[in-house]
Amino acid sequence: MFLTALMKERRVHEAYDKISWMLLPVIKRRAAVKEKRTRAEMLTRMNKDNIPFPSPDVIYSMYGTFFNEWPPRLLEMLARKGKPLFLKAGTFLMHEGDLDRCMYMITTGRVSVILNDRSKGKKRTKECSKACFELNPPCYVGEFALVCKEPRSASIQCETDMGAWAVSPEDYEDVAQHLSAEVASKQREATDVRRRANLQKFFPLRVELLRQFPYFEKFSAEALNKIISAVEPIVLHDGDHLYSKSDMDSSAYFIQDGVAILLEEDGTRHSIPRGSCVGIFECACSVNERKRCSIISKNYCDIWRMRREVLIDVGLSEPAAFLYCRSAAKSQRANEVIKPTTTPVSVRKDPYLMFCLTRHLMNRLWESALPVIYLNDEKLVVQGQPFQQFIILHSGVFETTFIAGNNEHHTVRITVNGEATAMEVLSGSVDNVFSKGRDNISKTFFSLVLGAYECASSMSQYCSTVTSYGLSEAFVVDRASFDALLPVELKEIMEADKGAREIVYSSHKQNDPSQLTSNMHLGFAAAYRKARECHLKGDAI
């Protein structure tokens, strides 16, 4: 025990020494930075009286157009919010690549602007520069850092002792909100041009980001680079809409930086994390669906826009990858479908299901259902194909053809919206009760559970074709999985009871669900319940 404790204590000391050794450079660096800041603050306090104040007239005389048309009153407010800064000759005011967001109004002292040339070395000095020029006071530098999140494009070194006033983005926004609409619009336009240029130069869309989304998994690097070269930069300010509810927008958007807020119909707000992709379903699946929510910017937001035409052009060169992209986009859209918590009436009151399943099994059927999206003209089921899924229609418009009692074919369009259903006959003989239009159609029956009749009649193939007319939503249940839930006794009854099956055939042929509802006592479910009751009584005896 003593030896074990001694070894444990030794490992603790070794770990402590290792951590201390690793953290020592960080601690030294922090201490040096803190000491440097303390010296700079002390130097500024000692020379505060030697730093001229940037009055409106002084600011107007500075080189540049950033403050053109600003009224003197607001320039005075901005200058009053500035913090004095004094630096000795040879000190760097900023380094190329820094993400400092302050603007500096230099009122005394000369500075040099140094553009680094990486081919000459990594040091940000005049010797390693590709260009260097001096600025004389009064002047301002770093003005676009106030409104753009961009790295410094150059290094600035003091040639003489320098005095300046630093303005933070927060102080700038406090003053800029009082600008007139015309001046604010001009400055915003100039800022947006700069932000878009910076987005393309410093923060381009990258293949690594696209690879994170399942939609682009199968595309080659060459195809993704084509997408990247064709996307468009979008910059939003606080409160700007990327798109609004009910807008028609077929583009996909990548949130590069900033904060975006998704505003639901009920007013619920959700933050969209940086690096997200929105609108891919409409873009990839060629769906002209009105937006169901709004997306607005909070503070600022930098976004890349991918038009539908760009994705289609790239997809034509790699069709397999494009089809995979569409499938992934459909799955993502299906996940947004809200599934009712209780079994819908369309399932509970379906005559075919009531005839062959108990209420418990219908609930299990609904519990197993998964949401799915169907596009325009997409076949949900095809006559003659194997019966592999139950499809519960939830929302949208569907078309199907069925045979009426006089053996005539009729094409019907069914509009489904939750529990509400409307039907319209599109074709059929005028001599038949099912004439074109919505008249005389109240007696027409169409099961909203595709596969219900096939299940009740023990058919292995679908007996009709159903097509989505526009975008539609449904819930699917794998037949094999559901069959595994069926009791063996019920399966045997459904296979053996020919009389009940004849009732199902007749009801379907005559398009008369009353034959089922009036003979529920002869159905498979009733026979199964009776068998269960007899079995329980036998066990009791």
Side-chain angles (χ1 to χ4, degrees):
M1 291 291 291
F2 173 76
L3 185 60
T4 302
L6 188 63
M7 293 176 64
K8 184 177 180 181
E9 186 72 17
R10 179 178 177 80
R11 284 196 294 269
V12 170
H13 281 286
E14 289 177 349
Y16 178 78
D17 291 341
K18 185 175 181 180
I19 292 174
S20 300
W21 176 76
M22 293 174 64
L23 291 180
L24 186 60
V26 178
I27 295 172
K28 287 184 176 180
R29 173 65 177 168
R30 284 181 175 271
V33 170
K34 186 176 181 180
E35 183 181 356
K36 184 177 180 181
R37 287 177 178 173
T38 302
R39 288 201 306 266
E41 291 173 359
M42 185 180 299
L43 187 63
T44 299
R45 284 196 299 269
M46 293 172 57
N47 294 275
K48 187 175 181 180
D49 295 337
N50 299 326
I51 307 174
F53 180 76
S55 64
D57 290 337
V58 172
I59 297 176
Y60 282 136
S61 68
M62 294 179 178
Y63 176 78
T65 60
F66 192 78
F67 293 107
N68 283 5
E69 301 184 35
W70 273 53
R73 177 179 62 86
L74 294 184
L75 288 178
E76 181 78 20
M77 288 176 58
L78 185 66
R80 293 292 177 191
K81 289 180 175 290
K83 295 178 175 57
L85 175 67
F86 189 87
L87 297 177
K88 285 289 189 179
T91 308
F92 277 87
L93 175 63
M94 64 180 69
H95 289 284
E96 181 180 345
D98 289 351
L99 287 174
D100 176 25
R101 296 291 306 278
C102 288
M103 179 194 76
Y104 300 95
M105 297 182 181
I106 301 173
T107 54
T108 181
R110 292 181 294 106
V111 296
S112 291
V113 179
I114 303 170
L115 301 176
N116 188 40
D117 186 351
R118 295 187 181 276
S119 63
K120 296 181 180 180
K122 294 184 178 180
K123 290 186 177 181
R124 292 170 286 192
T125 60
K126 293 181 181 179
E127 293 74 18
C128 295
S129 67
K130 58 184 175 183
C132 180
F133 56 91
E134 286 191 2
L135 290 178
N136 295 314
C139 62
Y140 51 77
V141 294
E143 65 275 17
F144 278 101
L146 294 173
V147 290
C148 305
K149 188 177 181 181
E150 64 180 48
R152 299 296 191 185
S153 58
S155 300
I156 296 182
Q157 187 177 25
C158 301
E159 293 294 329
T160 63
D161 291 352
M162 184 215 70
W165 296 80
V167 179
S168 69
E170 294 77 18
D171 292 336
Y172 169 81
E173 290 294 339
D174 287 343
V175 178
Q177 64 181 337
H178 301 293
L179 287 170
S180 66
E182 182 180 0
V183 175
S185 177
K186 290 181 179 179
Q187 190 156 47
R188 173 171 171 156
E189 183 179 351
T191 300
D192 288 351
V193 171
R194 178 72 171 246
R195 284 178 62 187
R196 284 192 289 268
N198 288 337
L199 191 57
Q200 291 177 310
K201 182 178 180 180
F202 300 113
F203 309 104
L205 194 62
R206 299 186 182 279
V207 171
E208 294 77 13
L209 175 64
L210 295 180
R211 290 283 189 206
Q212 295 177 9
F213 302 106
Y215 328 114
F216 304 103
E217 284 182 0
K218 303 299 182 181
F219 282 108
S220 65
E222 181 183 0
L224 295 181
N225 281 318
K226 287 182 180 178
I227 292 176
I228 290 172
S229 64
V231 293
E232 307 165 17
I234 295 177
V235 292
L236 301 179
H237 297 260
D238 186 38
D240 287 352
H241 280 71
L242 178 61
Y243 55 72
S244 300
K245 180 178 176 292
S246 299
D247 283 355
M248 299 288 287
D249 191 338
S250 61
S251 297
Y253 299 93
F254 303 92
I255 311 299
Q256 176 71 37
D257 197 11
V259 180
I261 303 296
L262 186 144
L263 185 61
E264 300 279 7
E265 293 183 64
D266 59 0
T268 306
R269 290 171 171 258
H270 304 283
S271 178
I272 302 177
R274 183 172 56 185
S276 298
C277 176
V278 296
I280 187 65
F281 173 68
E282 295 89 338
C283 181
C285 298
S286 300
V287 172
N288 296 320
E289 180 187 29
R290 292 192 179 276
K291 297 296 184 182
R292 298 173 297 158
C293 56
S294 301
I295 292 182
I296 59 177
S297 171
K298 183 178 180 182
N299 296 330
Y300 76 94
C301 202
D302 294 336
I303 298 170
W304 289 105
R305 176 183 184 180
M306 178 179 68
R307 295 184 182 273
R308 178 187 291 172
E309 297 77 15
V310 172
L311 183 59
I312 291 176
D313 288 344
V314 173
L316 291 176
S317 61
E318 298 185 9
F322 183 57
L323 290 176
Y324 185 87
C325 174
R326 286 170 62 99
S327 176
K330 283 179 61 180
S331 299
Q332 177 265 336
R333 173 65 174 80
N335 291 334
E336 298 176 6
V337 177
I338 300 175
K339 181 181 178 180
T341 55
T342 58
T343 307
V345 174
S346 59
V347 176
R348 289 187 286 110
K349 298 298 183 181
D350 184 275
Y352 296 115
L353 295 183
M354 293 172 64
F355 197 76
C356 64
L357 300 180
T358 63
R359 175 62 65 85
H360 172 71
L361 288 173
M362 283 190 276
N363 290 337
R364 294 294 300 273
L365 175 72
W366 178 247
E367 290 171 2
S368 305
L370 298 175
V372 67
I373 293 293
Y374 293 100
L375 305 179
N376 182 47
D377 206 33
E378 185 174 357
K379 300 289 190 296
L380 282 72
V381 296
V382 177
Q383 184 177 7
Q385 285 192 350
F387 166 37
Q388 296 178 335
Q389 290 180 325
F390 291 94
I391 302 179
I392 304 167
L393 307 185
H394 178 65
S395 176
V397 182
F398 308 88
E399 290 185 358
T400 186
T401 300
F402 67 91
I403 303 176
N406 59 356
N407 292 323
E408 286 195 10
H409 289 74
H410 296 270
T411 301
V412 178
R413 181 174 294 169
I414 305 100
T415 302
V416 181
N417 185 10
E419 303 294 351
T421 305
M423 300 179 65
E424 178 183 3
V425 175
L426 301 181
S427 64
S429 171
V430 294
D431 298 329
N432 194 276
V433 293
F434 302 118
S435 58
K436 294 182 181 180
R438 296 180 181 272
D439 298 332
N440 301 321
I441 199 171
S442 58
K443 295 183 179 180
T444 305
F445 172 72
F446 177 79
S447 174
L448 298 186
V449 183
L450 307 183
Y453 166 68
E454 288 79 1
C455 175
S457 59
S458 298
M459 295 183 65
S460 60
Q461 297 176 333
Y462 292 108
C463 65
S464 63
T465 298
V466 179
T467 306
S468 175
Y469 184 75
L471 186 68
S472 59
E473 301 174 356
F475 294 91
V476 299
V477 180
D478 181 67
R479 183 193 178 188
S481 300
F482 183 69
D483 282 350
L485 301 176
L486 291 179
V488 177
E489 297 88 344
L490 179 57
K491 290 181 181 179
E492 293 174 350
I493 291 172
M494 294 178 68
E495 292 174 0
D497 195 339
K498 295 182 180 180
R501 196 176 303 125
E502 285 298 327
I503 297 175
V504 174
Y505 289 152
S506 177
S507 173
H508 182 263
K509 184 177 181 179
Q510 299 297 325
N511 193 251
D512 183 10
S514 64
Q515 294 187 32
L516 295 173
T517 55
S518 61
N519 291 289
M520 283 295 172
H521 61 287
L522 301 176
F524 304 119
Y528 171 70
R529 281 191 288 266
K530 290 178 183 178
R532 290 288 297 168
E533 290 174 1
C534 293
H535 181 71
L536 292 174
K537 288 180 180 179
D539 289 344
I541 295 173

